[in-house]
Amino acid sequence: MFFEAKIDCDAFDVSEHLEGLVKRDLRGKQMARIGVKRSAIPQIGKAFGEAANDPAKREAFRNDPIAYLRSAGVAQEELDGLNIVLHEDDDNTVHVVLPQVVDAGRLRANDHEYLKMLGTMAVLGCHRPLS
């Protein structure tokens, strides 16, 4: 049995919640590290799920993460200049990603909604079998 996180993608406004999270400068504009259209999120989720369950797709993701993300619907220009590193969890290892920077003003102000979003993003990818 596995833990299943349920998120209402329509209620969880990805672009709004990424505002103030980790950003990068791309052609003079501050943007989310990997910008995607909201409509692409299910396709990306499917590609990640398939890589987790299908050894051939997992190997394809390992061998060329950029190509795999492109095939999942992420535009090449969103991947340009990025070093994409795939980390894989196992029974004894869970990876937690620490953002490069977050919105210091909202953090200092103890913005409850922002902190809730940061906490959700921090643990969202942490899955391990339940005994």
Side-chain angles (χ1 to χ4, degrees):
M1 178 185 290
F2 288 87
F3 170 76
E4 180 180 335
K6 293 188 179 185
I7 294 181
D8 179 350
C9 287
D10 291 330
F12 190 77
D13 188 343
V14 174
S15 60
E16 176 187 320
H17 282 75
L18 287 178
E19 183 180 340
L21 264 179
V22 180
K23 296 184 179 187
R24 68 179 175 135
D25 190 56
L26 182 64
R27 295 185 272 291
K29 297 190 310 190
Q30 289 289 310
M31 304 183 72
R33 294 202 66 185
I34 298 177
V36 296
K37 293 185 180 188
R38 180 189 231 171
S39 61
I41 298 293
Q43 182 178 346
I44 293 166
K46 181 176 182 185
F48 270 71
E50 289 174 344
N53 291 340
D54 180 325
K57 290 185 180 191
R58 180 183 293 263
E59 193 60 30
F61 201 177
R62 282 180 186 143
N63 289 336
D64 193 345
I66 300 265
Y68 196 82
L69 290 171
R70 246 191 349 259
S71 73
V74 178
Q76 178 63 46
E77 58 269 13
E78 296 299 335
L79 301 168
D80 287 344
L82 291 179
N83 177 32
I84 303 293
V85 179
L86 175 64
H87 293 280
E88 300 176 62
D89 293 347
D90 61 30
D91 289 338
N92 300 311
T93 304
V94 175
H95 293 85
V96 178
V97 177
L98 180 64
Q100 180 182 3
V101 67
V102 297
D103 185 322
R106 294 178 79 180
L107 191 62
R108 215 175 11 263
N110 284 320
D111 179 329
H112 179 74
E113 288 302 310
Y114 186 69
L115 296 176
K116 191 165 69 171
M117 182 274 309
L118 283 177
T120 300
M121 299 300 286
V123 299
L124 198 58
C126 301
H127 299 275
R128 67 183 289 193
L130 297 175
S131 26

